[in-house]
Amino acid sequence: MRQVIQVTSNNRLFGILVPIISVLLGLIAGAIIMMISGHNPIEGYVALWNGAFYDAFTIGETVRRITPLILTGLAIAFAFRTGLFNIGAEGQVIVGWLAAVWVGIAIDAPMIIHLPLAILAGALAGGLWGFIPGLLKAKIGVHEVIVTIMMNYIAMYVSNQIVRSVLTDHSTSTEHIASTASLGSEWLQALTFYSRMHYGILIALFVAVLMWFIIDRTTIGYELKSVGFNKHASKYAGMNVSKNIILSMVISGAFAGLAGAMEGLGTYGNVSVISGFTNLGFDGIAVALLGANNPLGVILAAILFGVLKEGAGEMPSAGVPTELVDIIIALIIFFVASSYIIRWALLRFKKEGK
Amino acid sequence: MEHVIEMLNIRKEFPGIVANDNITVQLKKGEIHALLGENGAGKSTLMNVLFGLYQPEAGEIRVNGETVKITNPNVANDLGIGMVHQHFMLVEPFTVTQNIILGNEPKGKLGNINIKKAEKEIQEISDRYGLKVDPSAKISDISVGMQQRVEILKTLYRGAEVLIFDEPTAVLTPQEISELIEIMRSLVKEGKSIILITHKLKEIMEVCDRCTVIRKGKGIGTVEVKDTNPDELASLMVGREVNFKTEKKPADPKEVVLHIEELYVQDARKIDLVKGLNLDVRAGEIVGIAGIDGNGQTELIEAITGLRKSRSGKIQLKEKNITNLKPRNVTKSGLGHIPQDRHKYGLVLDYPIGANMVLQTYYQKPYSNVSILNYKEIYNKANELIKEYDVRTPSEYTPARALSGGNQQKAIIGREIDRSPDLLIAAQPTRGLDVGAIEFIHKKLIEERDKGRAILLVSFELDEILDVSDRIAVMFDGKIVASRKPEETNEQELGLLMAGSTTNEAGDSSDIK
Ligand SMILES: Nc1ncnc2c1ncn2[C@@H]1O[C@H](COP(=O)(O)OP(=O)(O)OP(=O)(O)O)[C@@H](O)[C@H]1O
Ligand SMILES: [Mg+2]
């Protein structure tokens, strides 16, 4: 029995060590690249650090950047834990953003009703965007990856069209939402020298807890995971396989929709015509991967990526191009994906140490 | 050199368990050597060590007298060791030839794959050993027995001199088993050596030369088959006397629990496989369905359990019409189902074995309350069942996947019986179980019968049908064609009936219902 505990905790240790080592390797590789291209890696990383943590303002901005990443990371992790690959978080973010802002503009109500309603609209829109691929997968077996990719484009063009011709008269961005629908907080802004930090971070953290609770503690999670692992056995056990596939996509979509709502109601306060994807959904895939599809892991991974991306803005001051951060992120993902190698190396190391 | 393979004092540990503890097996050239042991004794593990899938913690392996280190299956292949796994490893959409040459493709001058040449070679090997395999058939189109012969061909094509069979007969019908036995005989005639894992003592007595017995990971010893008998083998492996003949009181059938009327069920290709079937099963009796695979048994079970829609007819469970109800509702109406394919239907292999114990009841109290799982209750129940049904597992948190095949089956059986359903459908319930476990399961089934449950047993093992049933219904071509009392029939007559000879030839069949 003692041995069992030891080994499972060993496995857990591996689970934690692999992402940490990947991150370190990514940063080291980044340093090497900086060196080769004639920059001083220490100056580069100091600039990165300052870009994310220099003062209260940058910290506030870093937090607001982390917020939607947590949510899209959770969205993808949730689907993944139930055997589905939701590439459509991007589109779900866009429709969630649009719906939340729409409600934020169009309705006149006291904050206690207006704000929750706008947030809910974002979640519902994202959920709807997950529902369609879920339905197609459950009923006629179309692979969710293909449908969600296409749904991303539909979301982008539909959203642009609505902004242009429904919400405005051929303008490229909408008016500002009513203050009763805003997540912004004067208190937080004052605290952070008027950064765009907003209450959304609390929502993101709450959703992380929610995901853990649904997946690990409820019969819903038991069914969702079971269907993801083995459809036949789930059917045999009396679960409704189609319903669970759809439900998983809806919940995942709702999480991503919330990420959009955070941007619409918190950071920007409006929605604009976009010429390309926000990338929040795609970055969520990386966040989920690094976070091992675990809510706490997702939060930590989102913090890391948020910091890197926010800090990148300051790197040109050390002469390093911002793109380097994208390279580092890509390398980290590369190392996580090849965790097999790290695991193997660790095992080797341990054996020799004995 | 007399021994082709020697595994000396092998030790293999898994987290929390010593699967092989100082085991020695020596294989002579040209012999069929049986490996016998209870479920979870460590047979598959030992063979996986020989095949290079696991590395032993201690011990020595010699091939033709030379000490070797088998670090992976390729090394095993090079040493002439081939393995036919219990769960086949074939690519379904590929043809037989493509599967066999996979990873070992014969190259033409331009590096192209020379399929023609391969097909010819495969045909030759197939003919030489009487494997009767069509090299150009697709795997998804051929029977389980044929798939197994493809696995055998694969090892031969790679030049195997030593073949390991891990429970090859567990998935085969009796006809296929006798074919396999013939194949094994012709293999040793050609100078190959075979290690055979099986739980069926009859097979060991029939084809094997020697038998090594393992008990709880320890080597008990090797015996000459001609100097022993099934009783001795059984007690060697279990460590106590085993009763082959199940003892039971005469049945006392009461009211009809399962009533099936003019049932028609189609398979995926929309062909009727159950064709106007009538059957009654009463409380307090075990009805055994005897039949050759493919006569509609699977479809019948799926229709009763709600996994498949029936085209017409009626299925009634006690007073309730359950025709075409969803599985959940059928289960709630009082059905327990030990499925034929335990990996596909019986378990969520990635869940802990404990979580699998509540697969149908997780949403009920006390396992959950307003949708919130109560793990304490779940694992308490799991522990109770693990103890009662002697499921050997390091802990209730171990993934179901890591349990040995027989222990997975015991877990499913425990779960299904424990719900004390009015009707229990047991499809091949003892497939892959050791004799001790079979005795235990049969006793449990009879216990349930005596508690007044109705039991429908479907099995390809005539021994089992004859031994456990109170009434035997013979199924042929989608219908029940005859009904017999076990004490008034025998294997020969059942065999004839199962092959579809008319009732006149085989004797009268009144009292079908
Ligand atoms: N990969 C694994 N990880 C952990 N434990 C394992 C693993 N494989 C096997 N075991 C354990 O090792 C023991 C021996 O298992 P093994 O599969 O060798 O049994 P077996 O003799 O083949 O049984 P069966 O007749 O039921 O197939 C079992 O207790 C099993 O739970
Ligand atoms: Mg085995």
Side-chain angles (χ1 to χ4, degrees):
Chain A
M1 196 59 205
R2 226 186 70 225
Q3 234 173 334
V4 178
I5 292 162
Q6 214 170 16
V7 168
T8 41
S9 71
N10 256 352
N11 258 336
R12 209 168 266 166
L13 197 66
F14 270 144
I16 297 166
L17 270 181
V18 166
I20 291 176
I21 292 176
S22 305
V23 170
L24 290 178
L25 286 176
L27 292 175
I28 291 170
I32 294 172
I33 295 172
M34 280 191 256
M35 266 188 322
I36 292 171
S37 55
H39 305 289
N40 182 338
I42 297 180
E43 277 175 26
Y45 280 134
V46 168
L48 181 101
W49 178 266
N50 286 338
F53 299 117
Y54 184 69
D55 55 15
F57 174 82
T58 45
I59 292 175
E61 281 293 313
T62 305
V63 171
R64 74 102 198 138
R65 200 184 268 273
I66 290 167
T67 303
L69 283 178
I70 294 178
L71 286 164
T72 52
L74 291 172
I76 286 158
F78 190 92
F80 207 83
R81 287 287 288 275
T82 63
L84 295 166
F85 204 6
N86 179 11
I87 307 277
E90 184 61 41
Q92 292 146 9
V93 167
I94 296 172
V95 295
W97 188 331
L98 176 78
V101 170
W102 198 335
V103 170
I105 294 171
I107 288 175
D108 206 10
M111 187 167 213
I112 195 157
I113 298 171
H114 200 180
L115 180 59
L117 208 62
I119 295 174
L120 200 66
L124 281 177
L128 173 72
W129 233 245
F131 173 80
I132 296 167
L135 184 75
L136 288 172
K137 166 141 190 151
K139 294 296 170 195
I140 46 180
V142 190
H143 203 285
E144 74 274 13
V145 166
I146 296 170
V147 181
T148 49
I149 288 176
M150 298 207 274
M151 292 294 287
N152 287 341
Y153 288 94
I154 300 175
M156 182 164 84
Y157 293 116
V158 166
S159 165
N160 283 349
Q161 193 57 30
I162 290 179
V163 171
R164 265 195 225 104
S165 25
V166 181
L167 291 178
T168 70
D169 193 8
H170 297 287
S171 165
T172 52
S173 54
T174 65
E175 57 182 288
H176 228 266
I177 52 168
S179 64
T180 46
S182 171
L183 276 168
S185 123
E186 264 164 39
W187 176 72
L188 279 176
Q189 283 169 350
L191 206 66
T192 59
F193 298 129
Y194 296 92
S195 79
R196 289 173 290 172
M197 183 176 173
H198 53 81
Y199 282 130
I201 185 70
L202 299 179
I203 295 176
L205 294 176
F206 170 76
V207 171
V209 175
L210 184 69
M211 162 169 168
W212 164 80
F213 187 74
I214 295 177
I215 286 276
D216 273 355
R217 294 283 133 177
T218 66
T219 55
I220 304 166
Y222 182 93
E223 283 194 21
L224 289 170
K225 281 184 292 180
S226 172
V227 168
F229 284 135
N230 185 341
K231 281 191 196 47
H232 301 286
S234 306
K235 189 176 173 199
Y236 156 88
M239 301 171 195
N240 183 335
V241 173
S242 299
K243 185 194 97 184
N244 277 294
I245 290 175
I246 297 171
L247 182 63
S248 169
M249 285 303 286
V250 168
I251 294 177
S252 170
F255 286 1
L258 279 176
M262 297 304 102
E263 296 292 85
L265 305 175
T267 308
Y268 296 99
N270 66 357
V271 56
S272 307
V273 170
I274 43 176
S275 56
F277 288 127
T278 67
N279 276 334
L280 286 171
F282 298 126
D283 290 340
I285 300 175
V287 169
L289 186 65
L290 183 64
N293 299 312
N294 165 301
L296 184 60
V298 164
I299 293 174
L300 296 175
I303 290 174
L304 176 75
F305 284 2
V307 166
L308 286 174
K309 285 185 171 250
E310 189 60 36
E314 200 52 33
M315 287 183 67
S317 74
V320 182
T322 48
E323 283 79 9
L324 185 87
V325 160
D326 287 325
I327 296 179
I328 293 175
I329 289 180
L331 284 169
I332 291 174
I333 296 307
F334 169 81
F335 288 120
V336 174
S338 48
S339 68
Y340 174 74
I341 302 172
I342 298 177
R343 250 167 227 270
W344 177 82
L346 277 175
L347 270 178
R348 258 317 261 279
F349 205 69
K350 234 185 81 196
K351 274 219 171 121
E352 260 154 42
K354 254 189 203 167
Chain B
M1 196 63 233
E2 201 195 5
H3 291 126
V4 268
I5 300 280
E6 288 172 277
M7 298 185 80
L8 306 172
N9 311 101
I10 302 294
R11 180 183 179 84
K12 174 71 204 164
E13 296 168 18
F14 285 118
I17 212 160
V18 183
N20 289 166
D21 185 3
N22 201 9
I23 299 185
T24 294
V25 180
Q26 292 172 308
L27 179 70
K28 287 185 191 159
K29 190 165 169 55
E31 79 166 337
I32 303 182
H33 192 117
L35 211 51
L36 180 67
E38 287 178 285
N39 296 122
K43 306 176 295 292
S44 300
T45 305
L46 185 68
M47 288 303 105
N48 286 335
V49 167
L50 180 57
F51 194 55
L53 286 168
Y54 296 148
Q55 297 308 307
E57 266 80 41
E60 188 182 344
I61 299 177
R62 290 189 202 154
V63 175
N64 294 322
E66 266 173 57
T67 303
V68 291
K69 230 176 130 55
I70 306 179
T71 44
N72 63 54
N74 289 332
V75 177
N77 270 331
D78 293 342
L79 290 168
I81 301 169
M83 181 153 177
V84 177
H85 294 270
Q86 185 172 350
H87 299 104
F88 306 150
M89 310 201 169
L90 297 169
V91 187
E92 294 244 322
F94 277 19
T95 68
V96 169
T97 305
Q98 285 169 331
N99 265 287
I100 290 175
I101 62 177
L102 203 63
N104 207 352
E105 301 87 353
K107 296 275 165 57
K109 280 199 200 73
L110 301 166
N112 55 322
I113 298 178
N114 194 337
I115 283 273
K116 281 269 139 44
K117 180 165 163 251
E119 272 188 8
K120 221 180 111 217
E121 261 177 70
I122 288 166
Q123 189 72 60
E124 270 170 27
I125 304 175
S126 168
D127 291 345
R128 180 157 72 194
Y129 298 101
L131 293 174
K132 296 190 225 139
V133 168
D134 172 8
S136 56
K138 249 199 206 155
I139 297 295
S140 48
D141 296 340
I142 63 181
S143 71
V144 174
M146 175 99 86
Q147 289 182 10
Q148 186 172 67
R149 298 204 294 275
V150 173
E151 288 280 10
I152 299 173
L153 253 176
K154 196 156 87 184
T155 64
L156 293 172
Y157 181 80
R158 286 164 199 211
E161 286 302 314
V162 173
L163 285 89
I164 306 167
F165 287 93
D166 192 353
E167 291 190 44
T169 55
V171 290
L172 299 183
T173 61
Q175 290 73 13
E176 289 172 326
I177 292 175
S178 30
E179 280 170 33
L180 178 68
I181 284 178
E182 277 319 302
I183 292 167
M184 287 197 282
R185 286 208 171 106
S186 70
L187 284 169
V188 289
K189 216 179 286 157
E190 297 274 335
K192 313 274 182 202
S193 317
I194 294 176
I195 299 180
L196 171 68
I197 299 181
T198 179
H199 289 296
K200 298 180 189 167
L201 302 174
K202 216 165 64 176
E203 288 162 10
I204 296 182
M205 297 310 297
E206 192 175 341
V207 282
C208 295
D209 302 296
R210 295 193 303 155
C211 174
T212 295
V213 183
I214 302 176
R215 192 194 304 158
K216 297 196 173 142
K218 292 198 170 63
I220 296 295
T222 303
V223 293
E224 294 281 338
V225 169
K226 62 177 189 307
D227 301 336
T228 187
N229 56 56
D231 289 319
E232 190 191 14
L233 284 177
S235 52
L236 269 179
M237 95 183 223
V238 186
R240 62 173 169 88
E241 295 282 317
V242 177
N243 250 331
F244 287 103
K245 191 79 193 154
T246 319
E247 279 173 37
K248 59 173 185 185
K249 299 190 305 252
D252 177 19
K254 301 233 166 57
E255 78 280 6
V256 173
V257 171
L258 175 70
H259 172 71
I260 302 178
E261 217 173 283
E262 284 301 308
L263 185 72
Y264 285 84
V265 189
Q266 296 182 325
D267 68 357
R269 296 163 301 168
K270 302 262 173 232
I271 298 169
D272 275 341
L273 281 193
V274 176
K275 307 173 181 172
L277 180 134
N278 293 297
L279 181 72
D280 278 357
V281 183
R282 291 171 178 278
E285 72 167 346
I286 301 179
V287 173
I289 293 201
I292 299 168
D293 194 15
N295 277 284
Q297 297 97 318
T298 310
E299 288 71 21
L300 170 65
I301 297 173
E302 288 181 351
I304 301 173
T305 53
L307 289 168
R308 184 184 288 275
K309 289 251 172 316
S310 42
R311 184 165 73 70
S312 78
K314 185 172 146 189
I315 307 171
Q316 201 169 320
L317 180 54
K318 293 208 128 164
E319 257 71 74
K320 193 166 171 186
N321 184 349
I322 58 160
T323 325
N324 291 340
L325 283 191
K326 296 229 166 69
R328 164 84 25 106
N329 293 333
V330 179
T331 308
K332 273 198 201 153
S333 313
L335 172 99
H337 175 200
I338 301 161
Q340 183 170 341
D341 188 335
R342 60 174 168 252
H343 282 177
K344 190 168 171 190
Y345 290 107
L347 293 168
V348 177
L349 289 171
D350 297 294
Y351 269 166
I353 190 64
N356 269 292
M357 292 302 202
V358 293
L359 206 54
Q360 295 102 331
T361 48
Y362 63 90
Y363 65 94
Q364 294 167 351
K365 281 186 184 172
Y367 311 120
S368 65
N369 196 356
V370 284
S371 288
I372 295 169
L373 294 170
N374 185 340
Y375 282 111
K376 203 168 146 240
E377 290 291 339
I378 292 175
Y379 284 109
N380 275 347
K381 177 91 238 173
N383 256 328
E384 185 192 314
L385 289 176
I386 285 170
K387 277 208 196 78
E388 187 178 346
Y389 287 83
D390 188 27
V391 179
R392 301 202 186 150
T393 169
S395 86
E396 61 273 32
Y397 307 108
T398 308
R401 189 180 292 289
L403 266 62
S404 84
N407 283 300
Q408 292 172 343
Q409 183 73 354
K410 286 193 270 184
I412 295 173
I413 291 175
R415 179 185 73 205
E416 296 306 310
I417 291 185
D418 186 65
R419 285 207 316 280
S420 43
D422 297 320
L423 171 68
L424 179 66
I425 296 186
Q428 321 292 350
T430 57
R431 192 179 253 190
L433 291 191
D434 66 59
V435 284
I438 292 177
E439 181 195 13
F440 175 76
I441 297 305
H442 286 172
K443 233 171 43 203
K444 277 280 169 191
L445 289 179
I446 289 162
E447 240 174 71
E448 287 303 297
R449 177 200 78 169
D450 292 341
K451 281 187 205 154
R453 315 256 137 78
I455 296 175
L456 183 65
L457 170 73
V458 180
S459 174
F460 298 139
E461 302 277 339
L462 281 184
D463 287 348
E464 177 164 54
I465 294 272
L466 280 164
D467 206 26
V468 181
S469 316
D470 300 311
R471 197 151 60 77
I472 301 172
V474 180
M475 187 158 177
F476 173 73
D477 195 25
K479 281 198 277 287
I480 302 297
V481 292
S483 177
R484 292 284 182 278
K485 286 242 153 68
E487 55 276 10
E488 290 162 6
T489 183
N490 53 42
E491 288 199 26
Q492 283 71 25
E493 190 200 19
L494 288 179
L496 277 175
L497 287 168
M498 283 158 54
S501 45
T502 52
T503 44
N504 287 348
E505 287 167 54
D508 182 32
S509 88
S510 52
D511 180 36
I512 282 188
K513 280 249 179 140

